[in-house]
Amino acid sequence: MKSTAYSAFLVILIALMGILCLPLALLGRDAARATIKIWAKLSLRALKLITGISHRIEGAENIPSEGALIAANHQSMWETIALYALAPRPVIVFKQELTAIPVYGWWAGLAGNIQIDRGGGAKALRAMTRKAKAHTDTGEQIIIFPEGTRAKPGERRTLLPGVAGLYAATGAPCVPVAHDSGRYWRHPGNEKVPGTITLRFLPAIPPGLDRKVFLFELNNRIENARPDLASKVLEHNE
């Protein structure tokens, strides 16, 4: 019941803000992004009030203030909302298909977020990296989920090479992020379980590393910091 109520709240909030705040979008990308950040913060507050899901942040000092990549594991919609709310000037990499969603898709484009055509091959990847570099060069933070799709808590997935392409092309540092949102915001399905999500921002990986070294370092840091993997190891040992 609470999960359904929250889903309804999100739809209503997107519709109301998306339509009523549309004049703000005429002021440009920064105004559109500020509007989405307000929506994200309201969504997180409502999540706690309606479903009992809160969060704690560890390593907030590692949140980048300049141009950077923010690379996180992916378990639910929660981290797309939370990271957008927390990054100073966020730009998110998202599937092109999402632009077809009324209101949501419009605002995603207005805020300068980067669409990725999964079937576009090398040409689409080159276009994405060019756009990403333009964003990091102006001090924005690119949010990306290098696993490519959502995984269940305790599940490991291989990182897709696209994140290494962005890292090399932008010449920007990469901040790894680990969390356990899937324990409470369940996927697939709509179930939400009361509890506290742990979100960890890790020290940045400096630019300039070899591709293989970077991917290994990113994967290693995220896996070692994921709360759901740590508890799984503990339960196994017990």
Side-chain angles (χ1 to χ4, degrees):
M1 184 67 179
K2 290 182 178 180
S3 298
T4 302
Y6 181 71
S7 296
F9 170 83
L10 277 188
V11 171
I12 293 171
L13 185 63
I14 289 172
L16 286 177
M17 288 191 66
I19 295 171
L20 295 177
C21 297
L22 197 56
L24 294 176
L26 301 177
L27 299 177
R29 190 169 72 194
D30 286 343
R33 176 164 47 215
T35 302
I36 297 175
K37 282 175 70 69
I38 292 171
W39 171 82
K41 291 175 182 179
L42 289 174
S43 298
L44 292 176
R45 290 178 184 175
L47 181 67
K48 182 177 181 179
L49 289 173
I50 297 173
T51 70
I53 298 176
S54 60
H55 65 275
R56 61 169 169 262
I57 301 170
E58 298 178 4
E61 69 275 7
N62 295 318
I63 299 175
S65 57
E66 302 296 335
L69 301 180
I70 297 177
N73 63 303
H74 198 14
Q75 294 184 355
S76 74
M77 183 180 174
W78 180 86
E79 54 270 18
T80 67
I81 298 173
L83 292 176
Y84 203 96
L86 292 167
R89 300 181 65 202
V91 174
I92 198 163
V93 177
F94 70 108
K95 296 181 294 184
Q96 189 177 52
E97 304 91 279
L98 296 180
T99 59
I101 300 176
V103 184
Y104 177 92
W106 307 337
W107 280 91
L110 291 170
N113 295 307
I114 301 173
Q115 305 171 29
I116 180 169
D117 179 4
R118 291 185 172 181
K123 183 178 179 180
L125 183 59
R126 287 194 297 270
M128 181 182 70
T129 55
R130 285 195 300 270
K131 291 177 182 177
K133 180 168 174 51
H135 284 294
T136 56
D137 283 352
T138 55
E140 296 173 315
Q141 299 82 41
I142 308 294
I143 299 170
I144 186 168
F145 303 101
E147 292 169 321
T149 188
R150 286 170 285 194
K152 295 179 181 179
E155 181 181 359
R156 291 178 169 89
R157 286 185 180 272
T158 302
L159 303 188
L160 299 179
V163 65
L166 287 179
Y167 170 77
T170 60
C174 178
V175 175
V177 176
H179 60 85
D180 57 351
S181 71
R183 286 174 164 173
Y184 311 101
W185 185 313
R186 301 283 174 81
H187 176 81
N190 190 41
E191 184 183 7
K192 294 177 179 61
V193 179
T196 303
I197 295 169
T198 299
L199 180 66
R200 292 173 175 158
F201 288 89
L202 309 174
I205 299 172
L209 296 182
D210 173 80
R211 176 182 175 277
K212 290 183 178 179
V213 174
F214 166 70
L215 284 172
F216 175 82
E217 187 68 20
L218 177 60
N219 183 71
N220 193 49
R221 291 195 191 190
I222 292 176
E223 286 204 352
N224 285 338
R226 278 176 53 182
D228 56 308
L229 291 182
S231 64
K232 188 176 182 180
V233 171
L234 181 63
E235 290 168 5
H236 177 74
N237 292 337
E238 291 174 349

